[in-house]
Amino acid sequence: MMGALPDYNARRLLLASVEAAAAIIDLAEATEWLRQIRSGIANPVVTPLPWYGLLLNGKLHSVYATRGEAEQAAGPGMEVRTLHPRPKAPGGGQS
């Protein structure tokens, strides 16, 4: 049973990093949307921002909102890769 603990901790780290990156990206996109509304744009368009993943041995290790955060968190043998969000379905729902 002790062998499962590192895997559990890795999943917790991945989930926590995804949630933190999602919150930062959502805030940045909402800020841009509001900026456009305040400048008089009737139908604002906000391009989804990319995420940055850290891969270790080809497996996703953690996710960050900026390339700088990902590079700072990278350890030996880790690769920073740009992750693009899936397009949202019309009406704002996930497909």
Side-chain angles (χ1 to χ4, degrees):
M1 189 66 177
M2 280 299 230
L5 191 57
D7 188 46
Y8 174 74
N9 287 336
R11 286 192 309 252
R12 285 182 53 206
L13 171 64
L14 179 58
L15 181 60
S17 69
V18 168
E19 289 174 344
I24 292 167
I25 289 170
D26 285 348
L27 179 61
E29 290 174 350
T31 301
E32 175 59 19
W33 185 82
L34 287 171
R35 187 198 65 75
Q36 290 181 28
I37 290 287
R38 291 188 65 177
S39 68
I41 297 173
N43 295 312
V45 175
V46 177
T47 303
L49 297 172
W51 302 39
Y52 297 91
L54 274 183
L55 279 65
L56 179 61
N57 299 324
K59 292 184 178 182
L60 188 61
H61 177 270
S62 52
V63 178
Y64 298 89
T66 67
R67 177 171 288 281
E69 287 178 330
E71 289 172 348
Q72 188 174 13
M78 292 184 158
E79 172 189 358
V80 176
R81 187 169 299 168
T82 303
L83 308 172
H84 297 284
R86 292 183 179 169
K88 291 185 178 177
Q94 287 294 106
S95 57

